[in-house]
Structure formats: C-alpha cells, structure tokens
C-alpha cells in the first residue's frame, strides 16, 4: 500500500552543513512536529530558541566513542523503517518504546573537503560518516512513508509542501529518495577512490564514477542527443570549473573543444595560445607575449581557426582582446582578463568568455574515462615528460639546439592531436598539423599541405605521435623541406627509416614513448 499525503509528527535532524537549519527547524516547530537531533545540530536549533529532543535522551543511550555511535539504535531505525500499514511493524516499535519518524534530514561529514585540504589519513578516516548514510538509506528505503532530505537546497521544497498541504506527497518522497541514494553513492565513491589512491593498487576490481550535475545542455554533439555537464569535484582548473564572464551558454561541443584547448596550452611554459577546432589544434603559437603567440597560432591555419576555441596560458589584456575580435571565435578561455579586455570581447554578443583563475598542473595525476557499449575504459593521464636535450639521436646528424627546442614544442602539441598525428613546427609555432588520419603518410601529407597554404614547411621540424612503419612518411617529410624529426621508434623497420633519414640528411631522435590520442 502506498500512502500519498503523510503529515509528519516527528523529524530527525543531524546535519554537518548547518545552512538553513534554523529556518527549517522553525517551520517544523510551527507545524507541530517534534524534532529529534544530535550534538551540533541540536545546539544550533536550541540556540535559536527551538525545542529539541536530544537523540541520547530519546533512546536512553548516551553517545559513545567520541560520537562514533549516537544514532545507531533500534528505536531510531525502527521508527524510520517501520511500515505504517503493517501492524506487526508498529507493534514491535511501540513494544520497545519507540515512535514513528516521518522526516529525516541528514547531510554527511565533509570527507572530500577534508581530503582536499591535505589532512592526514587519521583525520580523513574520522570524516567517514557511518550513522548518517545508515539513516539516509533507511529513510530512502521506506520512502512510501518517510521523507528524506540530504541537501539544504531541498529544504524549500519540503517547506512548500508542509505549508500548502500539511504533509509530503509520495511523488515528493520518491524524488527525495532517489536523490538520497545518489548522495550516498557519490559519498561512498569518493571514499573508495581515496582508498584506491592511497593504496596505489589500480586497476581495482571495481571503479565508481561520481559527478554532480552542473547544468543541463541544450543538446549533445547533435540536436537529437540529450546532454548535461557533471562536475567531479576534481581540483583541476579548466572549463568545468571556470567562471563564465560573458556570452551565451556553452554547448556540448564547446565544452569538449575548450577542454582540449586549455589542457594543451597549459603544457607550454612560455606565453602560449592554442586554437582548437573539433577537439584538434589548428594552430599553436608561443612568443614573448600572449599577443605575439596568438598571431603566430592563427597564422598556422586561419581558415580552420574560424569558429574555433582560443585558449591562452596567460592573462589576456587589451591588445590581445582587440586582435581576437577580428576573427569569429566561439570561446575564449584564459586564467584571467585585465584592463579593457573583457569589454572588448563582450562587444561580440555570443562569444563565450571563461576565466579559470589558474592553469592545471602538467604533472597532476588523474584518470580519463570513456564509455563503450556495455562498459567504460579508464586510463591515467599521459604525463610522460621527455627531455629531448638528453635524448640520443639515431641519425648521423644530431639535431641543433634550435631544432631540439622546436622538436620539444612540436611533441607537446602532438600529444593533443588525434592519431595518427603529425605536427610541423618552426620557431616556436606550428606551421602544419595532420590529424586523425588512418595512415601516417597521409598525416604527413596533410600537415605539409596545411603548411603550404600559409608559411610553408621548409625549415620546420616534425613530431610524430607513433613510429613510422615505413620510410614513405619520412621521405615525404624530407621532400617538403623538414630538417629534423622526433618519434617514438619501435618499428620492425626502424633501420630502414633511419637509413632513409640519413640519406635525406635529416636529424632524428627516438624517444621510446608513444602518444596516441583517439
């Protein structure tokens, strides 16, 4: 039997987040609801003049073990779990001196916040809530009769229901139960991830994903696909945590492309700008200042850059803002904006402007997740750092210092290009990019063709995300005037490729590290 309207007689409140607590307690008191509570919650409401019954008084059992055990009592859980339509349930409850509890308001110890502030293991473990999740799950299970509230943001819905109808509807209780189980699932997932990280035993037998809805999106990659943005709580500056300073709402594709652009530009130590289209860079530039870097990035492929994403690893000032608005872009993302930069960018009504406050660290760990039919793939971030200055050339001619600098820059960009990936660079800027090709020689030819539309490929260097399986790709690069190459090596035909490089007077470095990006 499902009861629709339940007028509460008794509520249990035990919250870590005291936001809105007094207002909620006042409403319940005005509705004639008896309030049971624990420690800090009871003190807060009693301090506001509200009558509160301490759980220890209600159960006749004092809190023990420094508060580790306070609500774990048959009278409490019997009052929550008892089915009102089962006489045996209510009889058993009344026989032990308990009463029905119709509303449970609980939020949990701040475990994630404790971890984020760098607390030691002992403090983190003390913030693993036991009684709270047990109360929440009991109330959610018995939502036919009990309303469970886990978020202060839902107090208004409870208040509205009580004022308008004097009780809670089954629809409301079911929705709150759904949120409650989501809440405890995310909480447990955070704890599990902490243990997995601290024990360093990945891959584990189970992997839990967690996320909080930040916003519903108009649609996904295409209008027929529903989509939403969830945030994980990961302390990594980027598009998911940025403040939007101007422009219309971000789309699914905007978010995906902006993430790609900002992650790329964050790897560059000097002032740098990346322009990304469809998750692939179409131009990346460096310079003594951000404006120079932008001009050089745009010069690589101005046709593809139209309608793209601009990411800068420095504060954007007035001069750069004025340059940016000369071309149509969808999103601008940077750590900050100064001077008249924002008003200049805001002159473009639909241009989204995002400030992240900081750059993500290039060596920060983390995991990447991708869904597949029937499951999902999990992998670590690609954090491999290679010092090309210490790497050994495999050709007769070693690269010059200038070539090594460009090879290092080209490889950083190459890590962010869809495979098969080839990046041509000269003087700290890309001149041609070949992305997402099924054969490596096609990727080389695409990069050379792109370069030929602008500054040309002669005198540039080449980075490849994986080895050359045949000499053909290398020979195509040599014919286009490339002077040096960096690649992982590891092909069964490496000797043939090295011989081709020597015949063409190319300098070549093997890194031993592949950078596929699918």
């Amino acid at each position: 039997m499902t009861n629709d309207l339940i007028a509460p007689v008794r509520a249990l409140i035990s919250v870590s987040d005291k936001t809105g607590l007094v207002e909620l307690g006042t409403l319940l008191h005005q509705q004639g609801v008896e309030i049971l509570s624990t420690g800090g919650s009871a003190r807060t409401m009693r301090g506001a003049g509200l009558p509160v019954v301490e759980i220890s008084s209600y159960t006749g059992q004092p809190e023990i073990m420094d508060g580790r055990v306070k609500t774990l009592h048959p009278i409490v859980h019997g009052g929550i779990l008892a089915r009102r339509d089962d006489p045996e349930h209510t009889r058993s409850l009344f026989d032990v001196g308990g009463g029905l509890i119709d509303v449970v308001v609980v939020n949990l110890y701040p475990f994630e916040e404790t971890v984020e502030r760098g607390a030691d293991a002992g403090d983190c473990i003390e913030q693993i809530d036991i009684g709270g999740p047990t109360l929440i799950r009991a109330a959610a299970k018995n939502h036919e009769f009990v309303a469970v509230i886990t978020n202060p943001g839902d107090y208004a819905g409870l208040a509205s229901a009580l004022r308008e109808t004097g009780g809670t509807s089954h629809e409301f209780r079911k929705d709150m139960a759904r949120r409650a189980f989501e809440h405890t699932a995310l909480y447990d997932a955070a704890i599990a991830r902490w243990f997995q990280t601290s024990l360093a035993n990945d891959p584990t037998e189970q992997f839990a994903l967690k996320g909080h809805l930040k916003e519903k999106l108009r649609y996904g990659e295409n209008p027929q696909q529903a989509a939403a943005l969830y945030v994980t709580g990961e302390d990594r500056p980027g598009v998911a945590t940025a403040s939007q300073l101007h422009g219309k709402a971000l789309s699914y594709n905007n978010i995906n492309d902006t993430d790609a652009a900002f992650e790329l530009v964050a790897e560059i130590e000097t002032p740098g700008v990346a322009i990304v289209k469809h998750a692939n860079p179409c131009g990346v530039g460096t310079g003594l200042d951000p404006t120079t870097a932008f001009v050089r990035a745009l010069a690589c492929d101005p046709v593809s850059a139209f309608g793209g994403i601009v990411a800068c690893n420095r504060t954007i000032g007035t001069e750069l803002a004025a340059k940016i608005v000369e071309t149509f872009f969808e999103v601008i993302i940077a750590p900050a904006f100064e001077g008249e930069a924002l008003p200049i960018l805001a002159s473009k009504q639909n241009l989204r402007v995002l400030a992240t406050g900081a750059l993500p660290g290039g060596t920060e760990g983390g995991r990447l997740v991708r869904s597949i039919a029937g499951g999902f793939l999990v992998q670590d971030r690609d954090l491999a750092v290679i010092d090309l200055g210490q790497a050994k050339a495999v050709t007769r001619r070693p690269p010059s210092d200038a070539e090594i600098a460009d090879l290092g820059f080209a490889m950083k960009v190459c890590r962010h290009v869809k495979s098969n990936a080839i990046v041509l660079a000269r003087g700290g800027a890309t001149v041609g990019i070949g992305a997402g090709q099924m054969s490596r020689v096609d990727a080389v030819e695409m990069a050379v063709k792109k370069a030929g539309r602008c500054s040309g490929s002669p005198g540039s260097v080449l980075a490849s995300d994986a080895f050359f399986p045949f000499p053909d790709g290398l020979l195509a690069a040599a014919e286009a005037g490339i002077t040096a190459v960096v690649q992982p090596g590891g092909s069964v035909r490496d000797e043939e490729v090295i011989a081709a490089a020597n015949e063409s007077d190319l300098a070549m470095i093997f890194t031993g590290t592949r950078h596929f990006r699918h």
Side-chain angles (χ1 to χ4, degrees):
M1 174 181 127
T2 297
N3 285 266
D4 190 32
L5 192 66
I6 300 288
V9 173
R10 185 174 291 105
L12 189 158
I13 302 178
S14 179
V15 294
S16 175
D17 182 355
K18 306 297 191 294
T19 303
L21 174 59
V22 171
E23 293 79 4
L24 177 64
T26 300
L27 171 70
L28 291 170
H29 176 59
Q30 291 171 347
Q31 295 286 322
V33 178
E34 181 184 28
I35 300 175
L36 310 179
S37 191
T38 60
S41 301
R43 286 192 295 273
T44 298
M45 289 185 285
R46 194 174 288 122
L50 295 170
V52 176
V53 178
E54 288 265 8
I55 282 290
S56 55
S57 298
Y58 183 71
T59 63
Q61 172 67 52
E63 295 183 7
I64 60 174
M65 303 176 187
D66 299 320
R68 277 193 169 196
V69 180
K70 49 191 172 186
T71 60
L72 299 171
H73 195 282
I75 289 179
V76 173
H77 288 279
I80 296 170
L81 285 165
R83 290 190 61 89
R84 277 55 166 172
D85 58 352
D86 187 329
E88 192 59 39
H89 277 208
T90 53
R91 186 181 303 112
S92 297
L93 175 63
F94 297 150
D95 283 347
V96 296
L100 298 172
I101 297 174
D102 309 298
V103 176
V104 172
V105 182
V106 175
N107 54 59
L108 305 174
Y109 293 167
F111 175 81
E112 288 183 271
E113 292 85 343
T114 304
V115 172
E116 287 172 6
R117 71 167 185 264
D120 62 28
D123 287 341
C124 291
I125 287 172
E126 285 306 311
Q127 292 302 314
I128 296 176
D129 205 323
I130 301 301
T134 306
L135 292 169
I136 290 171
R137 290 174 62 82
K141 175 177 180 175
N142 204 26
H143 66 272
E144 288 187 24
F145 307 97
V146 180
V148 56
I149 311 294
T150 57
N151 189 324
D154 292 322
Y155 292 172
L158 176 62
S160 177
L162 295 181
R163 289 194 185 103
E164 294 175 10
T165 66
T168 61
S169 68
H170 182 260
E171 180 181 4
F172 175 80
R173 296 192 301 273
K174 187 175 183 179
D175 187 43
M176 292 300 103
R178 184 261 305 171
R179 298 187 188 207
F181 281 120
E182 291 173 348
H183 185 62
T184 57
L186 293 175
Y187 192 76
D188 286 341
I191 296 169
R193 291 302 304 146
W194 178 73
F195 273 105
Q196 289 167 351
T197 301
S198 63
L199 292 173
N201 61 350
D202 280 352
T204 56
E205 294 83 0
Q206 300 179 81
F207 186 93
L209 292 174
K210 72 179 192 68
H212 297 276
L213 178 66
K214 182 173 183 180
E215 62 180 299
K216 293 181 180 179
L217 305 176
R218 287 179 60 201
Y219 52 80
E221 285 185 287
N222 300 291
Q224 67 271 22
Q225 295 171 269
L229 170 63
Y230 289 82
V231 292
T232 64
E234 181 186 12
D235 186 22
R236 186 176 180 85
V239 61
T241 57
S243 298
Q244 184 165 349
L245 307 180
H246 175 71
K248 61 184 181 180
L250 292 161
S251 71
Y252 180 100
N253 291 331
N254 289 154
I255 293 169
N256 191 52
D257 292 351
T258 304
D259 177 69
F262 198 61
E263 286 289 320
L264 190 166
V265 82
E267 284 202 41
I268 300 172
E269 292 86 1
T270 58
V273 169
I275 303 174
V276 164
K277 189 79 167 288
H278 301 307
N280 269 310
C282 48
V284 184
T286 62
L288 295 176
D289 57 81
T291 302
T292 301
F294 169 76
V295 170
R296 303 185 76 199
L298 183 62
C300 178
D301 190 354
V303 174
S304 297
F306 183 85
I309 310 295
V310 175
C312 182
N313 64 4
R314 297 290 192 276
T315 295
I316 291 181
T318 304
E319 182 182 13
L320 176 52
K323 284 285 186 184
I324 288 172
V325 296
E326 293 176 0
T327 302
F328 170 65
F329 293 109
E330 291 275 1
V331 182
I332 311 298
I333 185 169
F337 299 81
E338 65 181 5
E340 293 298 307
L342 186 58
I344 291 172
L345 296 171
S347 67
K348 298 292 185 178
Q349 182 176 357
N350 294 327
L351 178 64
R352 294 95 163 169
V353 180
L354 305 179
T356 64
L359 293 170
T363 59
E364 292 174 0
R367 289 171 179 80
L368 306 176
V369 181
R370 175 174 295 179
S371 63
I372 60 172
F376 53 87
L377 298 169
V378 181
Q379 66 174 346
D380 292 334
R381 294 183 186 279
D382 182 0
L383 301 177
V385 177
I386 300 166
D387 183 358
L388 296 186
Q390 300 300 315
K392 183 179 179 180
V394 295
T395 48
R396 286 193 298 266
R397 182 176 77 81
S400 66
D401 290 345
E403 287 174 328
I404 287 175
D406 277 340
L407 288 170
F409 167 76
M411 183 55 75
K412 285 182 180 179
V413 176
C414 198
R415 284 160 47 128
H416 296 267
V417 178
K418 300 292 185 181
S419 303
N420 284 323
I422 295 292
V423 173
L424 308 183
R426 184 175 57 236
T430 57
V431 297
I433 299 174
Q437 299 306 298
M438 285 67 75
S439 80
R440 196 150 299 277
V441 67
D442 285 347
V444 172
E445 290 172 353
M446 173 183 281
V448 169
K449 180 179 179 181
K450 291 275 190 180
R453 293 175 178 173
C454 298
S455 61
S457 56
S460 62
V461 304
L462 179 153
S464 175
D465 64 342
F467 62 66
F468 285 92
F470 301 97
D472 54 358
L474 199 77
L475 292 172
E479 290 173 6
I482 278 76
T483 65
V485 174
V486 59
Q487 59 139 317
S491 168
V492 295
R493 295 182 177 83
D494 274 349
E495 293 305 319
E496 295 178 40
V497 173
I498 293 170
N502 283 326
E503 290 174 10
S504 302
D505 195 32
L506 289 176
M508 186 161 63
I509 293 174
F510 280 4
T511 66
T513 303
R514 190 180 71 188
H515 293 294
F516 271 161
R517 187 179 184 89
H518 289 95

